[in-house]
Amino acid sequence: MTDPVVATANLLTDNPELYEAQFPDPHHAAATFVDDLVRRFAPQGGPGRRLLDIGCGTGRDAGHLARIGYAATGLDTSARMLLHARRHHRQVRFVATDMRDFDLGTRFDVVTCLDSAMLYCHRNADLTAFLDRCHAHLVPGGLLVAEMRNGAYFLGNTDLLDAPRTRTVTWRGVAYTSRTRLWIDHAAQLLRRERVWTWPGCGQPLVQNSAWRLLFPLELRHLLDAAGFDVLALFDLPGPRTEPPWQPDAELSTTLSGDRLHLVARRRGDAARTTHTLGRTSHA
């Protein structure tokens, strides 16, 4: 059974099957990337299997990780995404909550945040709150694995900004066309996006606006250090959405000039954590 299309300003979020048609991952590249990194950077004794996927969306990454042996939990705010996820990935626990203030009452060995979900934290306070929640939900030595756009890429490249991009995907026999325009809001340090959708019979075009925080590598390292994490790897190539694609034994590029940024960080013990409050630095 499938639901009818929901024509809202969040067309992809509110139509999970259309989302997966627009962004297919038939070989589970994102989940495989996570598993490979966990195996590479896990503490001695082998990787723990309790995993939390923040911004899980349709649940396909958490679902695949559960099928290969992880005890997976997915977290998202979209009710329709979570409804789809629960229907298709019954071995995963899914929770509706905000990434900045969740409290699940348990700890995990791995926390993942893929596909730039971390960058929906637009303000410094949002980022600090998100990393605090990750720290609180990881066991000491647990891993944070994140994948996102790279703010440093836009220091010397304008190809993503020069002209709108048009893409058509067919879903249930209907051709949905999106015209996407990106620009930088320098004052807010955001990459803003306008996506205009049209399809036969839609009437007026549907306009969707969103934005990602642009983080630079040194800025990200500082935020993680303050939140109680040691950065084990920060690299641009390869990854699940890059060319060349990810390989489990790949050498990790630290040039950090590519358009994607990949992170592996380890949670320090509580005694070594540094916190920042109202501009003051204290050690807890």
Side-chain angles (χ1 to χ4, degrees), residues 205-283:
L206 181 62
V207 180
Q208 175 182 349
N209 290 286
S210 56
W212 299 275
R213 172 69 180 263
L214 290 178
L215 289 175
F216 295 87
L218 289 179
E219 179 185 18
L220 182 57
R221 285 184 180 274
H222 173 74
L223 289 166
L224 287 157
D225 178 59
F229 289 91
D230 294 321
V231 175
L232 304 182
L234 194 61
F235 59 100
D236 54 353
L237 292 170
R241 297 182 58 174
T242 67
E243 287 296 336
W246 172 255
Q247 296 293 330
D249 57 350
E251 182 178 351
L252 308 182
S253 167
T254 57
T255 304
L256 303 184
S257 59
D259 67 330
R260 307 302 294 186
L261 193 60
H262 311 93
L263 163 74
V264 184
R266 178 172 292 147
R267 180 201 191 273
R268 294 198 295 265
D270 292 326
R273 186 180 180 193
T274 302
T275 59
H276 293 270
T277 305
L278 296 178
R280 300 189 303 273
T281 302
S282 63
H283 298 272

Side-chain angles (χ1 to χ4, degrees), residues 104-154:
L104 304 184
T106 188
R107 286 187 171 184
F108 300 86
D109 303 296
V110 182
V111 170
T112 61
C113 191
L114 307 178
D115 200 26
S116 296
M118 179 177 170
L119 304 184
Y120 288 112
C121 295
H122 291 173
R123 302 175 303 143
N124 291 341
D126 297 330
L127 288 162
T128 300
F130 164 71
L131 291 173
D132 175 79
R133 294 293 81 210
C134 291
H135 188 277
H137 284 77
L138 278 167
V139 299
L143 299 180
L144 171 62
V145 178
E147 184 268 342
M148 68 198 83
R149 290 184 178 273
N150 179 14
Y153 179 77
F154 295 95

